[in-house]
Amino acid sequence: MANWYFANNKTEEAERMYKEILKNEPNQTEAACMLGLLYDELGKYQEAKILYDKVYKNTGNIQYRLYSEMDLKRIK
């Protein structure tokens, strides 16, 4: 449902749902990644970077490290 909200530009609802998922399942990779993408769209680069770093740490997937580096450049 959170992804549907995100896809339909209902960002507040999507953010609320992703946060609720992460509250109950802190290592839920998809929710963390999607919330990071949402934060990128909203210009919340610091928040997105934190989530991407977490996903990278949990998965080792270099894609999330790259997302984190891109947000770091946006923050400066």
Side-chain angles (χ1 to χ4, degrees):
M1 189 58 132
N3 290 344
W4 184 88
Y5 284 132
F6 186 14
N8 288 281
N9 294 319
K10 297 184 180 295
T11 57
E12 289 180 18
E13 293 90 343
E15 181 180 14
R16 182 179 47 78
M17 291 195 77
Y18 290 133
K19 284 182 171 181
E20 186 66 28
I21 292 167
L22 292 170
K23 178 181 173 186
N24 295 319
E25 298 177 59
N27 293 321
Q28 217 284 354
T29 302
E30 182 183 355
C33 175
M34 294 303 293
L35 185 55
L37 291 171
L38 176 66
Y39 284 156
D40 272 341
E41 285 197 12
L42 297 175
K44 296 180 176 182
Y45 304 121
Q46 182 67 41
E47 292 90 338
K49 182 184 181 323
I50 291 167
L51 290 164
Y52 293 142
D53 287 343
K54 179 180 179 179
V55 173
Y56 174 67
K57 180 181 176 188
N58 289 339
T59 67
N61 186 330
I62 193 69
Q63 174 182 350
Y64 300 106
R65 181 72 180 144
L66 296 173
Y67 287 164
S68 175
E69 292 296 320
M70 287 189 302
D71 281 332
L72 182 60
K73 291 178 182 178
R74 292 175 180 161
I75 294 167
K76 291 182 177 182

